[in-house]
Amino acid sequence: MTKDKESITRSFCFVYILTLIVGTIIQFSDESEFAVDMSKMKLTHVPKDLSPKTKVLDISQNYISKLHISDISYLLGLEVLTLSYNRLQCLDFSIFKFNQDLEYLDLSHNQLQKTSCHLIRSLKHLDLSFNDFDVLPICKEFGNLTQLNFLGLSGTRLRQLDLLPIAHLHLSHILLDLEGYYAKESETESLQILNTKILHLVFHPNQLFSVQVNISVNSLRCLQLTNIKLNNDNCQILIKFLSELIRGPTLLNFTLKHVETTWKCLVRVFQFLWPKPVEYLNIYNLIIVESIDEEDFTYSKTALKALKIEHVTNRVFIYSQTVLYTFFSEMNIMMLTLSDTPFIHMLCPQTSSTFKFLNFTQNVFTDSVFQNCSKLVRLETLILRKNKLKGLYNIGLMTKHMTSLEILDVSWNSLEYDRHDGNCTWGGSIVVLNLSSNILTDSVFRCLPPKVKVLDLYDNQIRSIPKLIMKLEALQELNVASNSLAHLPDCGAFSSLSVLIIDHNSISNPSADFFHSCQKIRSIRAGNNPFQCTCELREFIQNIGQVSSEVVEGWPDSYKCDNPESYKGTPLKDFHVSQLSCNTALLLVTIGVTVLVLTVTVTALCMYFDLPWYLRMVCQWTQTRHRARNLPLEELQRTLQFHAFISYSEHDSAWVKNELVPYLEKEDLRICLHERNFVPGKSIVENIINCIEKSYKSIFVLSPNFVQSEWCHYELYFAHHNLFHEGSNNLILILLEPIPQNCIPSKYHKLKALMTQRTYLEWPKEKSKHGLFWANIRAAFNMKLTLIAENNNAETYKKSGNSI
């Protein structure tokens, strides 16, 4: 988000170090099958059970004091060997003669005093620093290391021609350990380092800087000095030492690490470097001692572009803050970084400043910094991370006169905004604003630069994005992750929004309309929210599933259900619920249509099978049985009174009365007919049931007319029911006229069944066959009717006949 120009320049040396020193390790670390790490295992010798395929071997920080050729000769593919921090005292490089692929060899931090010169030509990185060599361990065979990029050396004495054997090599990085260096005060030694881009010199950490060596280097781009301890007396020794190194015009980057100095000496060093060609000056771990007083300093024309000072310890407790802050505020450079220092303020420059980049991370600045400052008109980037800033309104006022300010980082403070503070005033050119890790609430959206394009509100206390806020039409990137937002924002106020980061919030039911209102979105990260997997989420899942995975970052791994408990941990892409169960209106319509179809179907089936007819029949039967149960027991004692009950259609009554009845009665059979035997006052159904039950047989005269008579079918139904109830064979079917099957209504399925299953008598048209017909009738009555109280019953019969 921040264009840290200084980091680019500082990393000039770092790029070389990272690429040349660590690059080879990284290359082979990916092949974990061939990498062996046995560091910090208290080994006293190299293990014998290593795989012959080993390419990377780390046995650093052990107790190994000697190497034998048999230790590594079988590792023919070995490319990286780290032996630092052991107890090696001498080393014969010939033990590596079988390791022709060895490129990286680290022997630093041992106790080496001498080595042989049988080197492997494939070496690219050789580190012999921090050992006990008296002189630099260089011999003529080093000149054959044509692929060498990094060389680490150590020695207590320096000779001018020590590095002559490698003068023709173009090294990228030389590390020279001078912690044990000593020389007589009256002597000045010389060392010529012909070709290297990076030179790193390490001195004794607890001794005052006293190295009087003339070191000359060709094509030096980066110089780093570590462990510099200065006072006002030996300050000139360092300046003289530097004057030899910085003579050439190619040195761009100068770094000092672990520096202890007086303020006066530090100012003198700055004054020495100011007119030099150094463009980037870095100081890490600076300790200021003794006193801080005003010193003369001339801000002459300088090539210096960037000054970075990180981690300052001030052991001067009483001093003039104006002296300290003025020294830095008046610098005529473009980039200044003062981070992790005890500074509580920074003065506004007295004249129009050249600063384009200011980084004051991790200080103790308050809201008063740069208030009413109109001299920073060229400032483009201002970083005030990890300070003591509290009022967002005051931060806006601070930028009022910074007309060129584009990037502002005030993250990791305690900023808040109260709408009662009034309308915020911001510098009109701010396009990148970092407000992350503060205590801002929803009201922050009423106090933002109008032209901001990138806004970072990560880790605040925002619960919602108000709808009635100032329109940020230029806003393209918005980070509101790790807040307490419950909904995705509406892009009505952010018409140009293309990147949204809103993960780790409280969004449970994101709006399905988000992608419709935010059509310019090309990247959204909304995972790790407590999604509630219900019907409301269904449409959102469908919409987000249709968007490219390049747009939806983290999909589907970081999008999981949090509720209900049965779906907890289920990826949203695997959560499925039917549209029917989610749409109440559709569900009601579906149920209604289903019920309607079912009702129509049942009704049609009932009409087709004449269910109402059977229901009425069952109802009549039930009522009759119910009344029969209420009669006295003696009335229920049933005695057969008739030989036969005849059921027929009125249209067939002529045949019944002229043919059938006369013949049966001529045979002394008692016949029950409805017109003479039904009891007045009783229902027709009761009379039918009584006649059937009091008759030995039931004769049915079948014809097309019979089929059309509903009462005839009643009589047939009850007679058939009585057949199963009594367990007797009491039905006689007479087919008076043929009945086509298709003429029998569907409701007369019993009639169809009876005509199929039972034998019936067919009335012959020829008179010659009538005799056989009557003989079959007589045979059907093979039982003499026994009457109880025959006289009484006969009289009852007569009365019944007369009443009809």
Side-chain angles (χ1 to χ4, degrees), residues 260-309:
E260 180 179 326
T261 180
T262 61
W263 174 253
K264 182 176 182 179
C265 183
L266 180 62
V267 173
R268 289 178 62 187
V269 172
F270 276 126
Q271 189 69 77
F272 167 76
L273 294 173
W274 214 253
K276 301 300 180 181
V278 175
E279 294 183 358
Y280 304 98
L281 175 59
N282 311 295
I283 303 177
Y284 301 101
N285 298 310
L286 172 65
I287 300 176
I288 301 177
V289 297
E290 294 188 11
S291 63
I292 298 178
D293 298 315
E294 185 175 1
E295 304 291 339
D296 293 332
F297 191 89
T298 303
Y299 297 100
S300 58
K301 186 176 180 180
T302 180
L304 190 65
K305 295 179 180 179
L307 169 63
K308 172 182 283 189
I309 302 178

Side-chain angles (χ1 to χ4, degrees), residues 454-695:
V454 180
L455 177 60
D456 192 344
L457 288 167
Y458 169 86
D459 189 23
N460 277 278
Q461 299 177 9
I462 303 172
R463 295 183 176 274
S464 65
I465 299 178
K467 292 185 178 180
L468 299 177
I469 60 174
M470 59 181 296
K471 288 192 175 184
L472 301 174
E473 297 180 352
L475 186 64
Q476 298 176 2
E477 299 183 21
L478 175 61
N479 185 352
V480 286
S482 297
N483 280 276
S484 302
L485 290 167
H487 302 284
L488 292 175
D490 185 359
C491 289
F494 316 128
S495 57
S496 300
L497 188 65
S498 59
V499 177
L500 176 62
I501 303 174
I502 197 170
D503 53 339
H504 294 285
N505 273 276
S506 302
I507 300 174
S508 58
N509 293 308
S511 172
D513 297 330
F514 172 77
F515 290 101
H516 296 292
S517 63
C518 302
Q519 297 185 358
K520 293 185 179 180
I521 285 290
R522 56 179 175 84
S523 177
I524 178 174
R525 189 165 73 219
N528 299 299
N529 275 290
F531 295 110
Q532 186 172 357
C533 290
T534 58
C535 290
E536 289 76 9
L537 197 64
R538 179 175 174 272
E539 189 174 352
F540 173 78
I541 296 176
Q542 290 178 346
N543 292 344
I544 204 171
Q546 296 172 357
V547 180
S548 170
S549 59
E550 297 178 357
V551 175
V552 185
E553 294 187 31
W555 177 267
D557 296 337
S558 59
Y559 294 77
K560 296 181 179 181
C561 298
D562 188 69
N563 283 302
E565 192 66 28
S566 58
Y567 286 105
K568 190 177 183 67
T570 302
L572 295 193
K573 70 178 182 65
D574 296 331
F575 172 71
H576 303 290
V577 60
S578 65
Q579 183 177 1
L580 183 62
S581 60
C582 291
N583 192 325
T584 305
L586 181 60
L587 180 62
L588 293 176
V589 170
T590 303
I591 294 175
V593 170
T594 303
V595 171
L596 180 61
V597 171
L598 184 61
T599 302
V600 171
T601 303
V602 171
T603 302
L605 290 174
C606 289
M607 296 301 294
Y608 181 78
F609 292 106
D610 204 17
L611 183 62
W613 186 89
Y614 284 106
L615 291 176
R616 292 198 305 271
M617 192 178 295
V618 171
C619 183
Q620 294 285 355
W621 175 273
T622 304
Q623 291 176 357
T624 302
R625 285 295 183 182
H626 178 71
R627 285 195 294 269
R629 282 196 295 268
N630 294 331
L631 293 177
L633 181 61
E634 58 273 9
E635 293 188 25
L636 292 174
Q637 292 177 346
R638 178 169 60 84
T639 304
L640 294 176
Q641 299 179 7
F642 305 100
H643 286 89
F645 167 69
I646 301 176
S647 174
Y648 59 93
S649 171
E650 283 299 324
H651 297 285
D652 300 324
S653 61
W655 183 84
V656 172
K657 294 177 180 179
N658 296 330
E659 296 286 347
L660 182 60
V661 173
Y663 178 82
L664 294 177
E665 289 182 343
K666 184 175 66 174
E667 296 293 328
D668 295 329
L669 297 177
R670 295 183 182 276
I671 304 302
C672 179
L673 298 174
H674 67 272
E675 64 265 22
R676 68 185 184 188
N677 295 109
F678 277 12
V679 178
K682 291 185 177 182
S683 68
I684 296 177
V685 173
E686 285 185 86
N687 278 306
I688 293 174
I689 294 173
N690 287 334
C691 287
I692 291 174
E693 291 181 344
K694 291 179 180 181
S695 300

Side-chain angles (χ1 to χ4, degrees), residues 14-15 17-32 35 56 79-80 82 103-104:
F14 180 72
V15 168
I17 298 173
L18 181 64
T19 303
L20 303 174
I21 301 179
V22 186
T24 308
I25 297 178
I26 295 177
Q27 177 181 357
F28 298 111
S29 296
D30 292 338
E31 304 178 19
S32 56
V56 179
E79 298 177 359
V80 177
T82 303
E103 296 181 353
Y104 185 102

